[in-house]
Each structure stands twice: as C-alpha cells, then as structure tokens.
Amino acid sequence: MARPLTAYIDLAALRHNYQLACACAPESQTLAVMKADAYGHGALECARALSDLAPAFAVASIEEADRLRNGGITQPIALLEGFFNASELPRIAERNYWCVVHSQWQIEALANASLVRPITVWVKLDSGMHRLGFSLDEVEPTWHALGVMENVHQRHLMTHFASADLERSPQFVEQLEKARTVARRLDAPVSFANSPATLVHSEAHGAWNRPGIMLYGADPLERATKLSQQLKPVMTLETEVIALRTLGPGEPVGYGGRFKTARPSRIAVIACGYGDGYDRHAPDGTPVLVDGQRAPLAGRVSMDMMTVDVTDLPEVSVGARVTLWGNAATGEALHVDDVARHCETISYTLLTGVLPRVPRRYLTT
Ligand SMILES: *Cc1c(COP(=O)(O)O)cnc(C)c1O
C-alpha cells in the first residue's frame, strides 16, 4: 500500500448513533445534520447509510443539498441558513428543500418569487444567541405574513441554543423559555434541539430535532452521561510508524526544537500532519495510540508527519499501526474529544478539518 494514512468511516456506528438520537426523543422526528461534508465523514455516503432510517436531512447550503439530491437522496433536505440569494428559490421549490428564513430580505424575496410549488419554511427565532433569526418582536408578524403567502406551504418555528452543552446554563433556560412562549402563542410545530439538547434536554424536544455531532460519535456534553457514553466513534483516523530513532537525553525533536528528550528516548515518526488536517497546535503529550497503546506526541506537528515518544513501548517497530483517534484494532479507543481537549479545541474542528487528501474508506459492519 502507498501512504498509510486513512480515515475509516464506520457506517454501522453512524446508524447506531442515529438510532440513539431517535431513542432519546421518541416523540420527535430526527433530522440528520450532514453539513460540512457530514462533519468530514463524507455527506453522500453517510446520507445513503441513513436513508432507510432518516425522514429528512439538513445541510448548510444549496450546493451541499444538491450533492445529496444528485446522489439519489430523495428525502426533504433542510437548508439551515436558508438561501443566500433569491435566485436559489426556484431550485429550492423544484427539489423539495426545506428552507430556513431568518431575515426580512428573505421574506420579501419569497413573496416576489415565481415558484412551481409552495415551499416549507422554518422560521428562525433569535431566542438569545444573537446570530441568525427574527427577534421576539419581529417573529410574530413574520409568521403571520408567511401564513398568507402563496409561495409558502408549511411553517415551523426553529431556534438554536448557544449553551445547551453546558451543565447548568441560565442562558439555555432563558432561550428555551422564550422559544416555548413564542411557540405557544403561534401554535407552531417546533425544532429547537441540537445534539446536546437531544441527549439531555427532553423539555427542548419538538416536532423535529436536529442532532449533528452526536451522529458521528463525539460527545457534545460538558460532562458525559450514561447515554452519551453509548455513542460510538464513526471516524477512525489511522496511519503507521514510518521511521524510528534512538536519541540520548537533551536532544531536540522537530521544528523549533519544542520537545527535548529528558532521557534516552525512542522517537517514532508517523505519517500524518497538519497538511492532512491534524491540529498543528497539538501540544507535547497529546495522546496517540501506537499498537493500541497510548503514547505522547513529542515535538511540533509537521505538514506530513509527526513524532511520538515510544520509549515506554519497546516492542513498537516500523509499520506499527497508529490511531490518531477512533477505535484501535486492539486495546482501548481514543476519543476525538480527548484529543480535542489536549488541543484546546472541540471535536467539530478536528473532524471537519480532515482534508480531502486523506482517503475515506467506508465500513458497513
Ligand atoms: C450545525 C447545526 C445543528 C447541529 O448541531 P450539533 O451541535 O452538531 O448537534 C443544529 N442546528 C443548526 C441550525 C445547526 O447549524
């Protein structure tokens, strides 16, 4: 085989996680969020693997939706930021995309469009995140205006939480209270819940929930629960040791000599770097699995390689299997959340960051 770096995508784990999201919210329907190429996992392959389970999908743009539709996905596909330009509207109607509306200019564009059939809109309420959505004052007149519009089929009310992942967040409680008040007043079917709310806030479940990251097996919660611990990692990023060297104490390793050996050391060079999407900010000590056992990153991540201290793993040889995150063939798993914590980032950036040059291999069992 050529360069050994591969992202294995376990589609059975994806199905398991989707079914777990459904089991968390038996009264809701569960839309599978596939934006950013299914968080780096391959949107079309993932959507196909869920297509007998999921009644609808969600993406961030019409380009992402088209890729699924052209690949044979027949379910409704929600555009989470709606349209960026009014010229998208005819295709949204033709291809049965659901459309978030968050701004007055979109309402005007919708009123003026000439469409083959009316479209389903999700009216976005800004309940306190202050990113997208209509304010509490605007949302009610907007809702009613859409109700009498020829181009509008069904209406849903949606909002997005800024802090659903935190254990006791006053902001979450406040946002939920506002959103529920509006929903009651409008008697609207709602969609409020992202992954953390799907997992632990049943009071935020609605007609539709919108889990993303949990489908890929990363834990979105500040503190894991029994349920979130049942999530299975979908991506296993795997490579091999391509060289080994023995160094005396006090020797620098890698760019800038950030790491210095404190003792006689064995350093393994592995084929993965920031040019593959691995985080260049990973500090010394970030764990990787070598032959299924934890070993610390030693030295700065290079573009195509990184260096790992395997002094305590004397049986490691060139060709040894290395897991950057996910399931090792033998031994423990290394959770992407664990790597993210070391890098002071989140699983979302690590997973969406895996670059196209890393081949994806899909596993179905
Ligand atoms: C990305 C996104 C989600 C999914 O969020 P996760 O935290 O990945 O579950 C849900 N709703 C909207 C509007 C989003 O943009």
Side-chain angles (χ1 to χ4, degrees):
M1 200 173 76
R3 192 165 184 254
L5 180 64
T6 305
Y8 292 95
I9 309 296
D10 181 347
L11 297 173
L14 176 72
R15 289 172 62 84
H16 164 88
N17 297 334
Y18 179 80
Q19 285 170 311
L20 189 69
C22 296
C24 289
E27 311 289 312
S28 305
Q29 291 196 279
T30 303
L31 191 154
V33 179
M34 297 275 128
K35 63 188 179 187
D37 203 24
Y39 293 50
H41 293 67
L44 186 54
E45 289 82 356
C46 289
R48 281 180 178 154
L50 293 177
S51 62
D52 64 322
L53 296 174
F57 294 97
V59 295
S61 68
I62 198 165
E63 289 82 3
E64 291 183 341
D66 283 346
R67 232 164 283 139
L68 298 186
R69 203 42 107 240
N70 295 341
I73 298 300
T74 55
Q75 283 91 331
I77 303 170
L79 308 177
L80 291 172
E81 286 143 60
F83 51 94
F84 299 86
N85 191 295
S87 63
E88 298 169 40
L89 277 167
R91 196 148 93 244
I92 288 173
E94 281 159 26
R95 308 197 99 183
N96 193 22
Y97 299 151
W98 293 346
C99 190
V100 169
V101 288
H102 56 73
S103 293
Q104 188 54 34
W105 70 265
Q106 292 178 317
I107 307 301
E108 284 152 27
L110 199 48
N112 295 325
S114 161
L115 305 179
V116 290
R117 71 174 79 88
I119 64 181
T120 291
V121 295
W122 287 33
V123 180
K124 186 147 189 182
L125 165 71
D126 174 14
S127 56
M129 182 165 176
H130 300 330
R131 193 178 57 179
L132 286 185
F134 294 97
S135 69
L136 287 172
D137 296 337
E138 295 164 334
V139 73
E140 205 164 323
T142 303
W143 180 267
H144 295 306
L146 289 165
V148 295
M149 217 179 267
E150 249 174 52
N151 281 336
V152 172
H153 176 47
Q154 284 173 351
R155 290 164 301 168
H156 289 77
L157 181 75
M158 75 175 290
T159 199
H160 195 59
F161 296 120
S163 316
D165 53 320
L166 304 181
E167 214 173 356
R168 249 179 291 278
S169 160
Q171 187 185 19
F172 171 78
V173 174
E174 206 171 300
Q175 280 197 270
L176 179 60
E177 190 46 45
K178 283 183 181 157
R180 289 172 85 177
T181 303
V182 172
R184 264 196 304 273
R185 217 180 310 137
L186 301 177
D187 193 24
V190 304
S191 174
F192 297 160
N194 54 3
S195 293
T198 300
L199 276 164
V200 292
H201 295 296
S202 58
E203 70 279 19
H205 294 169
W208 289 91
N209 294 336
R210 311 187 305 271
I213 193 73
M214 70 176 287
L215 305 183
Y216 308 100
D219 191 331
L221 301 173
E222 184 181 33
R223 192 188 296 247
T225 64
K226 266 207 181 100
L227 257 176
S228 72
Q229 283 170 340
Q230 290 175 36
L231 293 168
K232 295 183 179 172
V234 175
M235 184 191 292
T236 294
L237 187 60
E238 206 173 274
T239 187
E240 288 179 5
V241 172
I242 61 169
L244 276 163
R245 65 186 356 81
T246 307
L247 296 173
E251 295 290 337
V253 176
Y255 284 115
R258 180 182 75 182
F259 179 83
K260 274 208 178 56
T261 55
R263 53 178 179 167
S265 299
R266 252 173 117 230
I267 300 294
V269 182
I270 68 175
C272 178
Y274 66 78
D276 302 298
Y278 196 89
D279 191 349
R280 185 176 172 276
H281 297 109
D284 293 336
T286 301
V288 308
L289 301 178
V290 185
D291 277 339
Q293 300 174 83
R294 281 168 94 99
L297 180 73
R300 281 213 176 105
V301 173
S302 304
M303 184 183 286
D304 312 308
M305 291 173 276
M306 40 204 267
T307 38
V308 177
D309 185 345
V310 293
T311 311
D312 297 326
L313 304 174
E315 68 289 358
V316 166
S317 57
V318 169
R321 210 190 271 200
V322 176
T323 309
L324 285 320
W325 57 70
N327 290 314
T330 52
E332 59 176 328
L334 176 57
H335 285 282
V336 67
D337 305 294
D338 196 354
V339 179
R341 266 188 295 277
H342 278 85
C343 300
E344 294 183 37
T345 186
I346 53 176
S347 60
Y348 300 68
T349 66
L350 296 182
L351 293 172
T352 58
V354 177
L355 291 168
R357 86 161 172 177
V358 180
R360 271 65 168 175
R361 295 246 164 79
Y362 292 90
L363 313 170
T364 48
T365 48

